[in-house]
Amino acid sequence: MKRLGIVWFRDDLRLHDNETFAWAHMNNDYVIHIYCFDPRQITAKTYKCDFVKTDKYRLKFLIETIEDLNTSLINKGSGLLTYRDKPENVLNQLIEQFKNIFEITIAFQQQVTQEETDVEKIIRQITIDNNIHVKEFWTLTLYHPDDLPYNNPKAFPDVYTQLRVALEKQGVRVRRLIDIPNTFKPLPDGIISTPVSNLSDYEYSNETMHTNSVFTLQGGESSGLTHLHNYIWNKNLIKSYKETRNSLTGPENSTKFSPWLSNGSLSPRKIFFEIKKYENEQNIHDAGYWIIFELLWRDFFKFIAMKYGTRLFYGRGLKLEPYVWKHDLKPFEAWRTGNTGIPFVDANMREIMATGWMSNRGRQNVASFLTKDLGIDWRYGAVWFESILIDHDVCSNYGNWIYVAGVGTDPRENRHFNVVKQGFDYDPNGIFVRIWCPELTRLPNEYIQTPWLAPAHILKEAGVELGVNYPRPIIIVPQWNQQFQNRRKSIQNQHHTQQRGINFYFKNHEKR
Ligand SMILES: Cc1cc2nc3c(=O)[nH]c(=O)nc-3n(C[C@H](O)[C@H](O)[C@H](O)COP(=O)(O)OP(=O)(O)OC[C@H]3O[C@@H](n4cnc5c(N)ncnc54)[C@H](O)[C@@H]3O)c2cc1C
């Protein structure tokens, strides 16, 4: 009997460095590739707050990714079968169609979080019921979990630095890239690739990108590889990464690899080895250290999910004692829609709503504000991010949320962002705030982060009417006003020092 491999693509939407895909082509006579737009992950509602699970930005990126994968496969004489259905339904049908003709193996990427592993269990059961083979591969992370210096997931460290130091000390290596097979096995007779869904199938219009979006690239393995090449080789951006990664604006300030990493159209190992090649060729030792450092955070949250399972989704997170969160929808809606009256929070929230993107600095601040200043259940924020983010990754999203909310793996107790200080530090001239809160454009820099502290005549001159065209703050934390006063004093001191310098200069020149 000839062998048929069925590759069920999941968050591994690439041909490069894809063990599942390579295995199927090396070990079968025919290969079918399927992708399922699973309604449980696309149109279903989040388990709190009823947001659609995958909103238009990620869906658009995903559809582009699937189109690109299909094209790459067609170019090699194969193709992709796409479905708007659950994988278990699709696989059952394919098994029924082919089980008397071929010896079938279903090959897929293993995942770690509950909704995903629940589906895996169903698929395994289907293979048992039909007496067919199943082959599973770990292709999600930079480091393979089997290579970590721990016996089992329960022994993985809870602190990121412990993981990083253990890997560095013990010299754990990243496994080599998996080659793309030289020849692709054909589809069985009578099977042809199916047209990919488009946004209108989901009742979204094919809108153009927001003009202020910092992420304007298309989805797909091809565009991901081009972006990686441009980032490293053409634009030489590795060099400036450490200094710029915290910036709020500008498409080139951080790598922007996350949307491809999240759906697997770019492999973290591919990024790693490309960085190593750059370091060797340019003879700059550890030039890409900080990017790899961040990629390891991505791994860390996957390992945390492996270790803690569903606890990643508990209100109390990984803590054992219960945690009381508020579930007040009014302030939550003000946060979600960018109408809290705190410009730094509003600008970030309006950015994510209009583009699906927010910088890491922004994400940390708005998450801290929601959970630490408003005391609202972190899961409300996490499900909004899950819905709207272009780069949503369940482990990175939920892992970071519990971390910032203080119920996760942050070894520093009570980390709390002062969002006004952060606004002044990272957006001192209000460039970012003015992009997303244009109603504050004419406010002087001194008050751009704290309009409620501006005197009435300044507000009037700037055309700002609090409570009318820009909200009054829904909360004022005493430290914010203190921050404003401190900054004012330090600016006045600087001004005096400069003035003294000028006076001194003139006095001395007069003397001569
Ligand atoms: C509340 C909150 C929610 C988040 N949700 C997500 C999410 O759903 N998906 C997601 O990919 N990232 C998430 N992050 C992490 C981080 O904000 C993004 O990975 C990063 O902003 C993506 O931009 P970049 O690719 O330019 O990152 P870079 O700074 O260029 O980093 C390179 C890569 O490292 C990884 N990385 C960087 N920082 C982190 C981090 N803190 N945690 C995990 N991985 C990281 C990403 O894969 C990223 O692409 C979240 C952070 C917070 C605070």
Side-chain angles (χ1 to χ4, degrees):
M1 219 180 199
K2 297 252 184 199
R3 290 161 305 167
L4 170 68
I6 303 179
V7 177
W8 166 33
F9 276 108
R10 304 181 85 193
D11 290 331
D12 54 348
L13 300 171
R14 60 178 185 263
L15 303 188
H16 73 277
D17 194 32
N18 187 336
E19 203 175 350
T20 317
F21 173 78
W23 178 89
H25 282 272
M26 286 187 303
N27 292 280
N28 291 283
D29 303 296
Y30 297 90
V31 176
I32 291 176
H33 315 97
I34 66 163
Y35 182 77
C36 300
F37 290 89
D38 187 336
R40 289 167 298 197
Q41 293 303 327
I42 310 268
T43 45
K45 296 292 166 68
T46 53
Y47 79 112
K48 280 186 185 291
C49 299
D50 264 8
F51 302 126
V52 63
K53 273 234 174 160
T54 302
D55 211 328
K56 57 187 172 190
Y57 307 116
R58 193 162 71 257
L59 187 59
K60 178 172 180 291
F61 195 82
L62 176 63
I63 289 171
E64 290 163 355
T65 304
I66 296 300
E67 279 168 353
D68 181 65
L69 187 63
N70 191 20
T71 306
S72 302
L73 289 167
I74 289 174
N75 289 343
K76 293 279 193 173
S78 182
L80 182 67
L81 309 187
T82 62
Y83 303 85
R84 289 174 66 190
D85 200 351
K86 297 175 183 170
E88 55 267 38
N89 296 345
V90 171
L91 287 168
N92 260 326
Q93 283 164 20
L94 288 171
I95 292 167
E96 206 44 49
Q97 188 176 351
F98 291 111
K99 71 179 176 191
N100 296 325
I101 313 172
F102 296 116
E103 183 184 331
I104 302 176
T105 305
I106 294 174
F108 64 84
Q109 175 198 53
Q110 284 176 341
Q111 301 208 355
V112 277
T113 36
Q114 179 166 14
E115 287 177 6
E116 289 72 17
T117 53
D118 281 352
V119 183
E120 288 171 19
K121 279 183 203 147
I122 299 172
I123 304 298
R124 277 185 214 113
Q125 192 55 48
I126 291 175
T127 61
I128 293 168
D129 295 345
N130 288 281
N131 199 20
I132 63 170
H133 312 289
V134 62
K135 208 66 188 135
E136 302 177 28
F137 298 89
W138 181 267
T139 57
L140 274 176
T141 47
L142 180 61
Y143 287 92
H144 197 292
D146 292 350
D147 298 341
L148 302 185
Y150 311 98
N151 293 335
N152 65 72
K154 293 282 167 248
F156 291 166
D158 287 346
V159 178
Y160 166 85
T161 310
Q162 287 172 5
L163 173 70
R164 183 178 55 74
V165 170
L167 292 173
E168 286 174 1
K169 265 197 180 151
Q170 307 210 17
V172 177
R173 297 176 82 93
V174 172
R175 291 188 185 185
R176 67 166 189 82
L177 290 177
I178 303 290
D179 294 332
I180 302 178
N182 289 333
T183 51
F184 289 10
K185 296 291 162 57
L187 292 164
D189 285 348
I191 292 270
I192 46 165
S193 71
T194 44
V196 175
S197 293
N198 55 49
L199 274 180
S200 60
D201 292 337
Y202 291 93
E203 285 156 28
Y204 291 121
S205 57
N206 219 340
E207 293 160 54
T208 47
M209 297 265 187
H210 194 285
T211 45
N212 291 330
S213 181
V214 294
F215 189 87
T216 51
L217 299 166
Q218 282 229 327
E221 178 181 20
S222 313
S223 66
L225 291 171
T226 305
H227 175 57
L228 175 65
H229 188 83
N230 286 339
Y231 187 89
I232 294 183
W233 299 103
N234 296 345
K235 299 185 178 170
N236 212 2
L237 289 169
I238 288 188
K239 278 192 175 161
S240 53
Y241 174 78
K242 188 167 185 268
E243 284 69 44
T244 58
R245 78 169 288 260
N246 271 312
S247 306
L248 305 158
T249 53
E252 295 180 343
N253 287 330
S254 61
T255 66
K256 309 288 184 295
F257 293 155
S258 56
W260 288 278
L261 283 165
S262 297
N263 71 22
S265 43
L266 206 47
S267 146
R269 295 198 297 219
K270 174 73 184 165
I271 298 173
F272 176 89
F273 285 113
E274 212 56 37
I275 290 174
K276 291 291 152 200
K277 194 168 153 202
Y278 172 90
E279 289 174 348
N280 283 338
E281 287 190 14
Q282 305 283 313
N283 208 7
I284 317 177
H285 181 63
D286 272 348
Y289 179 85
W290 292 104
I291 300 178
I292 295 167
F293 181 97
E294 296 302 336
L295 285 175
L296 188 60
W297 269 105
R298 181 176 172 276
D299 277 17
F300 172 71
F301 286 122
K302 300 235 180 294
F303 300 146
I304 285 292
M306 266 173 122
K307 177 172 179 177
Y308 286 105
T310 48
R311 282 171 66 184
L312 192 62
F313 307 103
Y314 290 0
R316 65 167 196 260
L318 309 182
K319 303 276 176 219
L320 293 174
E321 63 278 11
Y323 213 94
V324 183
W325 295 109
K326 292 185 197 152
H327 296 96
D328 191 348
L329 285 183
K330 210 170 158 206
F332 173 68
E333 274 306 294
W335 174 85
R336 190 179 73 85
T337 57
N339 284 297
T340 64
I342 295 102
F344 192 55
V345 173
D346 290 345
N348 277 293
M349 294 309 296
R350 292 180 191 188
E351 180 186 29
I352 199 175
M353 174 99 101
T355 69
W357 182 266
M358 191 194 289
S359 68
N360 184 57
R361 181 61 36 188
R363 295 181 204 201
Q364 289 176 315
N365 272 279
V366 299
S368 172
F369 176 79
L370 185 77
T371 57
K372 300 273 173 74
D373 292 322
L374 297 179
I376 291 180
D377 192 335
W378 66 269
R379 290 169 300 179
Y380 282 30
V383 291
W384 174 238
F385 272 30
E386 175 167 5
S387 176
I388 200 82
L389 270 178
I390 196 167
D391 64 3
H392 180 253
D393 169 309
V394 62
C395 301
S396 293
N397 185 42
Y398 284 80
N400 272 291
W401 268 99
I402 57 172
Y403 188 95
V404 178
V407 293
T409 57
D410 188 353
R412 228 176 82 183
E413 290 284 324
N414 293 327
R415 193 192 299 261
H416 188 155
F417 285 78
N418 178 329
V419 291
V420 165
K421 179 175 187 317
Q422 292 270 313
F424 281 130
D425 286 351
Y426 290 95
D427 189 28
N429 299 321
I431 293 171
F432 178 68
V433 162
R434 286 188 179 88
I435 291 175
W436 294 105
C437 304
E439 60 272 45
L440 301 179
T441 300
R442 285 159 52 211
L443 210 54
N445 287 349
E446 187 179 0
Y447 300 104
I448 194 78
Q449 306 293 349
T450 52
W452 64 92
L453 293 177
H457 73 277
I458 299 260
L459 288 172
K460 196 165 176 213
E461 277 164 28
V464 178
E465 232 180 307
L466 292 183
V468 178
N469 63 358
Y470 185 72
R472 289 182 197 285
I474 57 170
I475 177 178
I476 295 180
V477 174
Q479 285 88 333
W480 297 347
N481 293 357
Q482 189 57 51
Q483 186 61 41
F484 172 83
Q485 298 303 348
N486 293 349
R487 185 180 149 86
R488 184 177 235 194
K489 261 191 216 140
S490 109
I491 288 174
Q492 276 166 356
N493 287 344
Q494 266 174 24
H495 184 73
H496 286 147
T497 317
Q498 274 168 4
Q499 202 56 49
R500 274 207 300 276
I502 291 167
N503 292 343
F504 179 76
Y505 174 85
F506 280 120
K507 259 190 209 155
N508 285 330
H509 276 256
E510 276 162 18
K511 269 185 205 159
R512 277 190 206 118

